[in-house]
Amino acid sequence: MLPNAPVNGHVSHWFDGLPISRAPLPGSRDADVCIVGAGYTGLWTAYYLKRADPSLRIVVLEARFAGYGASGRNGGWLSGLVPAERDRMARRHGRDGVVAWQRALNDAVDEVIAVAAEEGIDAGIVKGGTLEIARNPAQARRLAAAAEEERRWGVDGITELTGDEAAQRINLDGVVAGFHNPHCARIQPAQLARGLADAVERLGVVIYERTPVTEIAAGGATTPWGVVSAPVVLRATEGFTTRLPGLKRRWLPMNSSMIATEPVPEHLWDSIGWHGRETLGDTAHGFFYAQRTVDDRIAIGGRSVPYRFGSRLDRDGRVPDATIKRLGATLYSILPQVASVPIAHAWCGVLAVPRDWAATVDFDRASGLGWAGGYVGHGVTATNLAGRTLTDLVLGRDTESTRLPWVGHESRDWEPEPLRWIGVRGLYLAYKAADWHEARGTKRTSPFAVAADRIAGR
C-alpha cells in the first residue's frame, strides 16, 4: 500500500458526488427499441431516436448505472480522433470516405457541445483543443509526421510549435516540439453521461439500472429480472461485450488507468499556465493523456496492465499500486512544479479493441439487431456520431452518416487464449522497450516499436 494512499477504484474520480439512483427492471415488458448499455453509445442512440420519432417506446438496460463503463472513466477528451487506422480504412473503403468520416467526427465535437448547451448539461466543457508534445528527437520526428498526416486527412487548424512555443501554453519540462489541434474540448465525462441520461428520460426514454443483460437475440434482451421484447435490439456494451454469449473474442477489453491530483494551488497554476484548458498528450509509444480538470486538479492516464488473461475485467476500477506510482512519476516528470501535490484518486476501465483496430456501426434489418463500438479509446466523440448513425439505420434513412466507412465494417475475432494474452503482453513490452531506447537519443522510431506494430497488425 502506498503511503497516504489515494482513493483507489470506486469506479472513477469523475463520479464523486454524482447521484446514482435508478431502479432495476421490474419484470418483463414490451418496447419498440431495446438498447443494451447506458454509456455514451446507448444514451446518444436513445436521444436521437426519441427526438426523431417521439412515439417510439425505448428502453435502455444497464448492468450497473449510467456511465459506469468507459463513458464515466475516460480522460475527458471530446476530440475528433478517428477510431481506426485511417490508411488501412482508406485501402479498404476509399480515401474520400475516410476524409468524410474525419470531418464528421470534427463536426461531432461541436454537436456534443451544442446538445449539452441545449439540454442544460454542465459537463465542464472548454474547447481548448489538444496539445501534443515530443520530449526527444524520435518523438519529434513522429510529431512532425503526425501533424502532416492530420493535414493530409483534411484536418484544418493544425499549428506546429517549437518547444518554447509549447511551453508558453503549458510550462512542461523537457519539451522539444509540439502541435496544437483545435478539434477537441475538455469535459468532465461522468457529468456528460449522467446529464445525457437525465435528458433522455425527460424525452420519455426509460432507463433501468442494476439490470445485467445475459443474452441478446432477435426480438429481445434477457435479464435476471425479465425479458424486454422488442423488434429492434441494439448492443452498446463496448468493453463489456466479452461477457455476452458468443462474443468472448469479438473485441479485446483493453485496460487504461488514470490518476487525479488534489486541487493544484493557484500559485502553482501561475507557474504552469494551462489557461486554455487544452487536453494534453505525447508521442511516446507508452503515451499519456491528461487534462486540467473543472476543479483545478490534473488528471493523467495511460496504459498499465493493458489486458487481463481471459478478457477478465477490473473490480470497480481498482488499479495496482505500481500503476499509481508509474503515472505519478510521469506527471512529476513533465510538471515538476506539482511534485508536492498528492495524488488523490486512481482508477481504471476497459475500452474495446477490434482485431483490426477499427470501430463499427451496423444494423441488420432482417433480425432487428444492431450494434456500435470498438472505439479503441477514441469514443467520447465517436459515440455521438455512432448514435446518430444507428438512428438513421434503424429508421431506414439513407444519409451521409450511413455511407461512412465504418458502417457495416467487419473485423475478425481475436485469437484464443493464451495467444491473445501473449500477443498483447508482447506488444506493450516492446513499446516500453522502444520508449527506453528512444529516451537515450536515437532520432528514429525504435525497431522495438516497429516490431510491436507488426504484433498488433497495425
Side-chain angles (χ1 to χ4, degrees), residues 95-120:
R95 173 179 166 76
D96 290 347
V98 177
V99 171
W101 190 18
Q102 176 68 78
R103 289 174 177 164
L105 286 163
N106 289 345
D107 291 343
V109 174
D110 294 324
E111 170 70 7
V112 174
I113 295 171
V115 172
E118 180 181 349
E119 297 294 344

Side-chain angles (χ1 to χ4, degrees), residues 131-134 140 143 159-170 172 174-180:
L131 177 63
E132 293 280 354
I133 63 166
L143 189 83
T159 304
E160 294 185 74
L161 306 167
T162 65
D164 288 342
E165 289 169 336
Q168 289 173 16
R169 291 174 177 264
I170 307 174
L172 301 159
V175 174
V176 298
F179 78 76
H180 181 260

Side-chain angles (χ1 to χ4, degrees), residues 335-358:
L335 283 170
Q337 304 95 312
V338 300
S340 62
V341 180
I343 306 303
H345 205 146
W347 68 96
C348 70
V350 294
L351 51 105
V353 179
R355 187 61 183 87
D356 64 354
W357 296 73

Side-chain angles (χ1 to χ4, degrees), residues 8 27 41 98 130-131 162 189 211 234 270 273-275 330 338 340 363-364 388 443 452:
N8 191 343
T41 300
V98 177
T130 295
L131 177 63
T162 65
T211 305
L234 306 176
D270 290 341
W274 216 334
H275 304 303
T330 299
V338 300
S340 62
F363 178 67
D364 178 48
R388 286 184 279 137
K443 294 183 179 181

Side-chain angles (χ1 to χ4, degrees), residues 287-350:
F287 58 86
F288 73 80
Y289 50 93
Q291 66 152 281
R292 177 177 176 175
T293 70
V294 175
D295 55 353
D296 281 334
R297 304 170 190 263
I298 298 174
I300 184 170
R303 302 286 188 262
S304 170
V305 180
Y307 173 71
R308 294 177 170 88
F309 187 88
S311 294
R312 288 183 294 112
L313 305 177
D314 61 86
R315 295 184 178 181
D316 284 353
R318 187 169 181 84
V319 299
D321 286 349
T323 297
I324 302 172
K325 292 179 180 178
R326 189 175 300 115
L327 288 173
T330 299
L331 170 62
Y332 299 142
S333 171
I334 61 171
L335 283 170
Q337 304 95 312
V338 300
S340 62
V341 180
I343 306 303
H345 205 146
W347 68 96
C348 70
V350 294

Side-chain angles (χ1 to χ4, degrees), residues 220-254:
T222 302
T223 83
W225 324 127
V227 176
V228 176
S229 300
V232 173
V233 183
L234 306 176
R235 188 184 80 233
T237 48
E238 192 58 2
F240 295 87
T241 300
T242 183
R243 289 181 168 176
L244 292 168
L247 298 175
K248 184 80 170 179
R249 292 163 49 199
R250 183 61 50 85
W251 293 333
L252 189 91
M254 188 77 77

